[in-house]
């Protein structure tokens, strides 16, 4: 399986790896380690470049596979040989926007849970924008304004963000993680990665995040919709 470097260092822009296997059907290589995020949890996959012996292989996307992370390269490039040494170079502009956005979603989730006790029922994101569904019976423009002010107060608070990888049994002892449906994790997963916004939020999470909430920048709660009797959708955008 591929070692996931981004789990402990989201700021890696370049890394070295070895080609472990090829997937001819997907036109992809499997590396022994990677800093490319393969998508999941609402966060889109990374893009970038693989460099091998002076050749450049544009990365279409990274993707989870049964034997590791698939690094899908453009079809008009022959795949590098197994055993080749690869330099991976991330599309850093895309990655950093995704990091800011993902952290913004955690700020939104943590603030609403703290202030209103509302659980998350769904969510999705793309670079610099996202949406989350919450267990609210009603939603108004006035409440949206309150939420907007509250989340931006947390951005300005410059809260540190800490990542930890815990044994499954230890993670289950953290009460707040239950709202992220940690109990649905497959039994074979022995370790759980947690992301903590110090003083605000603590969740099981596999995505990439910034080091401090101040990096997120101005958050704008731009819209809301009713998605059911006790399900309201909130839309957020970030400045460039």
């Amino acid at each position: 399986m591929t070692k996931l470097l981004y789990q402990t260092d989201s700021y890696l822009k370049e890394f070295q790896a070895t080609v472990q296997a090829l997937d001819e059907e997907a036109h992809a290589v499997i590396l022994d380690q990677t800093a490319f995020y393969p998508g999941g949890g609402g966060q889109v996959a990374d893009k970038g470049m693989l460099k091998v012996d002076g050749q450049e292989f544009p990365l279409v996307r990274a993707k989870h596979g049964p034997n590791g992370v698939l690094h899908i390269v453009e079809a008009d490039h022959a795949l590098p040989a197994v055993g080749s040494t690869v330099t991976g170079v991330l599309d850093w502009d895309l990655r950093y926007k995704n990091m800011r956005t993902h952290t913004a979603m955690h700020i939104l989730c943590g603030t609403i849970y703290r202030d209103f006790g509302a659980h998350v029922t769904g969510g999705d994101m793309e670079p610099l924008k996202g949406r989350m569904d919450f267990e609210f019976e009603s939603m108004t423009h006035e409440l949206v304004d309150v939420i907007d002010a509250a989340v931006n107060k947390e951005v300005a608070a410059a809260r540190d963000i800490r990542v930890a990888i815990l044994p499954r049994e230890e993670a289950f002892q953290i009460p707040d993680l239950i709202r992220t449906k940690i109990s649905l994790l497959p039994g074979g997963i022995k370790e759980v990665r947690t992301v903590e916004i110090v003083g605000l939020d603590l969740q099981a999470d596999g995505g990439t995040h910034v080091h401090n909430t101040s990096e997120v920048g101005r958050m704008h709660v731009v819209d809301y919709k009713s998605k059911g009797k006790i399900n309201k959708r909130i839309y957020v955008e970030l400045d460039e």
Side-chain angles (χ1 to χ4, degrees), residues 50-65:
L50 299 180
K51 297 182 179 181
V52 186
D53 296 329
Q55 290 184 288
E56 294 185 345
F57 297 79
L59 186 70
V60 175
R61 65 160 293 180
K63 180 182 178 181
H64 288 288

Side-chain angles (χ1 to χ4, degrees), residues 168-169 172 181-192:
R168 185 187 181 95
E169 296 75 16
F172 265 106
K181 300 191 172 94
I182 189 174
S183 58
L184 298 182
L185 287 174
I189 295 178
K190 302 302 181 184
E191 294 182 324
V192 177

